[in-house]
Amino acid sequence: MVVRLSRHRLLTLFRGVLAALTLATLTLAAPASAHASPTSPAGVGRSEAAAGWLARQLVAGERLEVVFDGVTYPDQGLTLDAVFAFAAAGVADDSGARALAWVTRPDIRDAYLGDGATEAYAGATAKLALAVQVRGGDPTDVGGVDLVARLRSLQAPGGRFTDRSAYGDYSNTFSQSFALLALDRTPQGAPPAAAAWLAATRCPDGGYPLLPAQPVCTSDVDATALAVQALRVTGRPTDAAAGLRWLLSVQRADGGFANAAGIPNANSTGLAAQALRDGNRPLAWARARVFLAGLQVGCAGAPADRGAVDFDGGAFDPGTAARATGQAVLGLTGTGYARLSASGATPGAPVPACP
């Protein structure tokens, strides 16, 4: 059950400049609403405050969990999102180490990746390999498992990375993008055929779909944000530029981005903002950052929620806040997946300074 839930959550997942600078330096003195700037004179910035809140949500200091049909399950993919967020913010390094140690524990690892024989999941394998690399580890030996070799074994002749599973193939644009990002960091590099396959999935409007090879190609913000980063790092700037232009065309007046349901939210905006800054679109990134700042819980919020980033700015929902916060940190810092590193990150979970 944990395996299937993790894959479901993985798929679900893989769905002004002056104003920005001013917001980045506001304090928590007397915000007008719960969603206000949680920065402080003591140096706790937006991304640090968000990552600090996320670190405090780790169950037993090691993992994040989700509730599905009233039952709580550990979520390896969401926990890896936290690992990326800690590295991007440069804080909570101790939490990142414990979280990765939990995901790479053999029983937890295999429930997420599959056994490598009858069951092997491309997206999960690639995401874990990238997280190991971000934390300075060796993805060719993760508890005796060579994630790089396993990932390469899942590449089809046409270049697509696919699942090997009795449950079917659930690989998508996120799977392909994470595979390229992880393999680009290896001595052999990412396979050109895999990058070409991803580029060929581009929709006529320039964006990229979550699920390739569908009768109607529908561009998706989250998928495009990941694809753009993977294509840039694998030497396909023209294909990446098309995706960036599409992102710019769908950015809202308030700087935010909406998901497939049309809801402006922190998840889609966080990933899009990350891709925009990584793709040298600073003005659009600054506007997206303003939107994310407006979703961050400040001093008017409950003490336990301060620093978190709400999904859509409505009533604070703990059930969606962990994923929203993790991806918002990526947008707030603008550090692309290809450049993420936990090197130099400090331990501890920063807390916003409220009067």
Side-chain angles (χ1 to χ4, degrees):
M1 181 62 183
V2 172
V3 175
R4 302 311 300 161
L5 179 65
S6 296
R7 289 167 55 70
H8 171 76
R9 298 300 297 185
L10 183 64
L11 288 173
T12 302
L13 164 64
F14 303 129
R15 300 238 18 113
V17 177
L18 180 59
L21 294 176
T22 301
L23 281 166
T25 57
L26 290 175
T27 70
L28 283 168
S33 67
H35 298 127
S37 171
T39 58
S40 81
V44 180
R46 293 189 182 286
S47 61
E48 291 91 342
W53 178 86
L54 192 59
R56 291 188 290 278
Q57 309 315 302
L58 293 172
V59 178
E62 66 179 9
R63 67 185 183 275
L64 290 171
E65 298 179 339
V66 295
V67 178
F68 186 74
D69 284 347
V71 181
T72 299
Y73 298 92
D75 192 321
Q76 295 96 321
L78 182 56
T79 302
L80 292 180
D81 286 339
V83 170
F84 293 137
F86 301 150
V91 298
D93 189 57
D94 48 342
S95 296
R98 289 193 298 269
L100 188 61
W102 175 76
V103 178
T104 56
R105 207 175 75 190
D107 57 328
I108 304 299
R109 177 200 64 205
D110 292 349
Y112 181 50
L113 306 181
D115 58 16
T118 58
E119 295 290 317
Y121 314 133
T125 303
K127 190 172 183 178
L128 180 56
L130 181 61
V132 170
Q133 293 166 323
V134 166
R135 288 207 51 80
D138 180 5
T140 67
D141 184 8
V142 179
V145 174
D146 187 338
L147 297 182
V148 174
R150 182 180 295 188
L151 183 57
R152 291 187 186 278
S153 77
L154 297 176
Q155 185 183 351
R160 180 175 184 173
F161 289 92
T162 62
D163 296 341
R164 182 166 59 239
S165 173
Y167 300 100
D169 178 17
Y170 291 90
S171 61
N172 55 28
T173 298
F174 273 76
S175 308
Q176 194 78 10
S177 299
F178 274 126
L180 291 171
L181 288 162
L183 293 176
D184 182 73
R185 294 191 182 216
T186 67
Q188 189 176 345
W197 185 90
L198 178 59
T201 67
R202 192 173 78 220
C203 297
D205 60 10
Y208 290 82
L210 175 62
L211 299 175
Q214 298 300 303
V216 178
C217 191
T218 303
S219 295
D220 178 85
V221 170
D222 303 49
T224 299
L226 262 291
V228 161
Q229 295 183 61
L231 291 166
R232 276 175 50 80
V233 78
T234 52
R236 301 190 72 97
T238 300
D239 297 303
L244 287 168
R245 286 193 297 272
W246 181 80
L247 286 175
L248 292 172
S249 75
V250 297
Q251 187 173 24
R252 292 162 46 90
D254 60 7
F257 288 83
N259 57 17
I263 301 171
N265 66 92
N267 299 61
S268 298
T269 303
L271 293 177
Q274 179 191 34
L276 288 169
R277 190 182 185 201
D278 187 66
N280 300 314
R281 304 302 194 275
L283 297 179
W285 168 66
R287 292 175 56 218
R289 197 173 184 276
V290 169
F291 177 84
L292 293 171
L295 299 179
Q296 193 163 27
V297 180
C299 287
D305 301 336
R306 293 170 185 168
V309 179
D310 188 56
F311 174 70
D312 59 3
F316 184 75
D317 182 2
T320 60
R323 195 179 305 278
T325 300
Q327 294 182 349
V329 168
L330 300 178
L332 288 169
T333 66
T335 304
Y337 280 112
R339 296 182 292 115
L340 271 185
S341 172
S343 177
T346 59
V351 179
C354 290

